[in-house]
Amino acid sequence: MAHNGAPHVTSDQAEKTFYFGKFRIDPTEVFLVTQHSYAFVNLKPVVPGHVLVSPKRVVHRFLDLTPEETSDLWLTAQRVGQKIEPFFEASSLTFAIQDGAQAGQTVSHVHVHILPRRVGDFENNDEVYDVLDEKEKQLAEKLDLDKERKDRTFEEMAAEAAELRALF
């Protein structure tokens, strides 16, 4: 998959301000917007194509979502998964929520991690949960993925979002 071309932002996205907890998400990093949710690229992906789906409303815990937000969140996650699995030439998907600090949630805003999975992407398949749960220091000691999990540039994230936006 080539990351080329200027980021394209729809008028719907340009008019929106997206927050992920206290952090503002640039509209060029968003690739899908629904009634209650939005999907965006990840600053530190665990695997290629690791994206997030979050409710538009900043909600700290999953249990605090309305029924409409819950439904929209999971339907959006399903829709995103249907597109990114073939796009990233994956054979499976991991969907994960870390709900609360003790569950590993680092940004206090409900979000679903969607990870396109391939054979052998982790030595032990369940290590993916360690990557999502562990702090950066613990992660580096346990899985030595520190080198691969560098922050991406704004341009890299915008280019990936533009590619994914074209799928919808």
Side-chain angles (χ1 to χ4, degrees):
M1 77 233 99
H3 294 286
N4 51 27
H8 173 72
V9 178
T10 66
S11 60
D12 181 50
Q13 288 168 286
E15 296 170 11
K16 304 275 185 210
T17 300
F18 301 96
Y19 282 93
F20 183 46
K22 64 181 181 178
F23 305 104
R24 187 180 172 283
I25 301 297
D26 192 282
T28 61
E29 298 168 16
V30 174
F31 61 90
L32 179 64
V33 179
T34 64
Q35 184 177 359
H36 297 288
S37 304
Y38 67 101
F40 58 108
V41 296
N42 197 332
L43 178 64
K44 285 188 162 191
V46 172
V47 295
H50 175 188
V51 299
L52 304 171
V53 175
S54 193
K56 290 178 182 176
R57 182 171 68 96
V58 176
V59 179
H60 303 292
R61 298 291 308 275
F62 180 77
L63 297 177
D64 295 328
L65 292 170
T66 67
E68 295 80 13
E69 288 170 324
T70 303
S71 177
D72 188 75
L73 182 75
W74 282 111
L75 290 172
T76 303
Q78 180 186 44
R79 184 175 170 199
V80 168
Q82 289 169 338
K83 298 292 186 177
I84 68 170
E85 183 177 327
F87 184 78
F88 287 97
E89 299 175 352
S91 57
S92 300
L93 296 165
T94 294
F95 293 88
I97 290 182
Q98 297 157 300
D99 191 36
Q102 285 68 46
Q105 182 182 29
T106 56
V107 176
S108 187
H109 187 164
V110 173
H111 55 286
V112 179
H113 293 263
I114 307 172
L115 294 87
R117 300 295 304 277
R118 295 181 178 160
V119 172
D121 54 8
F122 288 91
E123 187 175 329
N124 173 352
N125 198 38
D126 284 344
E127 285 178 353
V128 69
Y129 301 109
D130 294 335
V131 173
L132 293 173
D133 289 338
E134 299 291 330
K135 294 178 183 172
E136 284 294 319
K137 182 179 177 198
Q138 295 165 332
L139 175 66
E141 292 171 5
K142 181 172 175 57
L143 298 177
D144 196 30
L145 291 180
D146 218 23
K147 291 186 261 333
E148 290 108 87
R149 289 198 70 213
K150 298 291 183 195
D151 289 359
R152 297 192 296 168
T153 66
F154 172 78
E155 292 78 15
E156 290 170 324
M157 293 171 62
E160 180 177 82
E163 286 182 324
L164 296 177
R165 199 172 301 117
L167 300 176
F168 297 92

